[in-house]
Amino acid sequence: MRYLILSDIHGNVEALDAVRHHARRKRRDRVLFLGDAVGYGGGPNQVVDWLRSLGPELLAVRGNHDRVCSGLDEATYFNRYARQAAEWTLETLGPRNLEYLRSLSEGPLEVSPELAICHGSPVDEDAYIFSGYEAALGFKALPHRVMFFGHTHVPSAFVLRESDGRRMIQVRLLSGRRLALDLEPGCRYLVNPGSVGQPRDRDPRAAYAIYDDASSRLYLYRVPYRLQAARRRILQAGLPPVLADRLGFGA
Ligand code: ZN
């Protein structure tokens, strides 16, 4: 199976369009979405319309912003910009899109006996995986060899290696326009493909991945998009200008 993997689109329809265009000739059997379709960006309905249009081709988990922006939860832990965006998104989403976001499953979600997806961590959809320790908790929570997660918006891979009864976790930041990674047999992986709509690794380009489980090969891509149009859409919606500006910094 070949999987197209997207995470953290955050209502950035311009970034999503660029990724869709870039991936249009790449073979895929399934689309995996790791949560946060909305929140921050000015095009939440367009993003959710597209996810809904995928039908059974899509396997998805919700993110914390999907939960809050669809009114399932309070914005207690959000900063004021995220809260303002969540309120606007809740008012702006059409009834079908709202219902769809509310129906997304919490995760983790098993894709195959070898593969699982989640938003934050296999432990908790709201937990972040930045460190080897946090990755170790994730590896402990599920048996799958390969797990994809989002939430940090930083493309990264945590590799769990066992030799002579000793366990070691290596961290790798995944940067660059195009990167191919061969997953080694005997190792386990927690991989973040990066964020489509709000990258935070100082590279403003949209990020996505393709994973081929037959060859155990993972491809990561960075794609430029119409950033000024995405910025304008945020400003025209009356959302905080800081949400428009951060796109340009990839932060
Ligand atoms: Zn997010």
Side-chain angles (χ1 to χ4, degrees), residues 8 10 36 64-65 119 151 153 200:
D8 296 279
H10 282 289
D36 279 1
N64 52 323
H65 286 258
H119 182 60
H151 198 37
H153 299 208
R200 293 183 192 159

Side-chain angles (χ1 to χ4, degrees), residues 36-57:
D36 279 1
V38 300
Y40 299 131
N45 280 307
Q46 295 89 325
V47 171
V48 182
D49 284 344
W50 180 71
L51 289 172
R52 284 173 45 211
S53 76
L54 294 173
E57 188 194 356

